[in-house]
Amino acid sequence: SSGINAEYGGSEGSLPPIYTLIEIQYHLMRRLLGVRTEGKSKGAKVDNLSKNEVLLVNIGSLSAGGRVSAIRETKNKHGAVDKRAKVILTSAVCTDVGEKIAISRKINKHWRLIGWGTIKGGQKMAI
């Protein structure tokens, strides 16, 4: 199966490309919202992404599952850390480079927002 459903409708050339893998530049929150650790008033700390971790990625109004295939952190000339990850999507997504995304992780059987990011590239599906 190609992973394409009737979700992508438009004349040829009018829609953005369809991606099966996206490369994202991301930022993680320091603490989880709405989740308390035992005996503490502050939320639990957000751990860094890890390879093969399953995430929920929201791109616009679409939610897609994904698995982290690679992580890269580099420092730019100003000393800021540029965090990037490659995410293999469970279903193909029609989107553009530059789109904003929300990143969620499953914590205690619930999807919790852990960060946000921007699509920097990816692997396009041939159609």
Side-chain angles (χ1 to χ4, degrees):
S1 158
S2 66
I4 297 180
N5 300 325
E7 299 164 0
Y8 310 107
S11 59
E12 192 171 335
S14 68
L15 294 174
I18 298 171
Y19 290 92
T20 55
L21 177 145
I22 55 173
E23 181 178 348
I24 59 171
Q25 180 180 26
Y26 67 93
H27 307 277
L28 297 179
M29 296 191 296
R30 288 187 185 100
R31 299 195 176 274
L32 289 172
L33 300 173
V35 178
R36 287 192 179 162
T37 54
E38 289 184 38
K40 296 183 181 177
S41 61
K42 292 184 178 179
K45 286 191 173 186
V46 174
D47 294 328
N48 286 330
L49 298 183
S50 58
K51 193 171 179 182
N52 293 322
E53 179 178 11
V54 175
L55 300 172
L56 181 68
V57 180
N58 294 82
I59 306 168
S61 62
L62 182 112
S63 297
R67 183 175 301 277
V68 177
S69 65
I71 300 169
R72 187 179 80 223
E73 290 187 18
T74 57
K75 284 191 177 183
N76 64 20
K77 62 184 176 183
H78 304 292
V81 177
D82 180 31
K83 295 182 178 184
R84 294 194 183 216
K86 289 186 179 178
V87 180
I88 300 169
L89 301 168
T90 56
S91 58
V93 174
C94 182
T95 188
D96 268 324
V97 170
E99 285 288 324
K100 304 289 184 203
I101 64 165
I103 305 166
S104 299
R105 174 185 282 154
K106 203 165 214 179
I107 299 170
N108 297 332
K109 300 181 184 177
H110 298 284
W111 289 106
R112 300 289 182 182
L113 180 67
I114 61 163
W116 67 94
T118 306
I119 298 174
K120 294 296 184 181
Q123 183 177 329
K124 297 177 186 176
M125 177 181 272
I127 51 173

